[in-house]
Amino acid sequence: VVGRLVEMEPEGKVGVDPVCVLGLNVSKGAEIKLRVRTDDRKGLRPVRKLREVMWHELAHNVHSQHDKRFFALMNELEREGNALEAGRTLGG
């Protein structure tokens, strides 16, 4: 369950500044923040990238640490999300 989904301000430059993230999960999903806008604030990040960040942040609802269980859940969420988008039925 996610309490709120909000846009994160695009402060800093991704891949350049030492502390610059594309998403943040606050209190196991009480709030998920996504960095939707580009660093220059003139555009939006690709939907594919936002989806990847969303799977990552949703996995933090269950697992805080980036361990095997976290990545297994993140990959499962991504597979399910991709299947839903493609219009396939889950589980067979």
Side-chain angles (χ1 to χ4, degrees), residues 26-84:
V26 179
S27 299
K28 297 244 181 212
E31 182 174 81
I32 289 182
K33 299 178 181 186
L34 294 179
R35 194 169 168 165
V36 176
R37 299 186 192 278
T38 56
D39 294 343
D40 62 7
R41 293 182 166 91
K42 292 181 180 179
L44 302 176
R45 294 188 187 283
V47 171
R48 181 177 176 159
K49 179 47 105 178
L50 293 174
R51 287 171 46 112
E52 290 173 2
V53 175
M54 177 59 82
W55 307 141
H56 181 103
E57 298 309 331
L58 285 171
H60 278 305
N61 283 4
V62 178
H63 304 291
S64 298
Q65 300 300 316
H66 293 127
D67 58 15
K68 286 182 182 180
R69 296 176 307 153
F70 171 87
F71 287 107
L73 177 57
M74 185 181 77
N75 290 334
E76 179 182 339
L77 291 169
E78 183 175 8
R79 281 191 305 275
E80 289 179 8
N82 290 340
L84 285 172

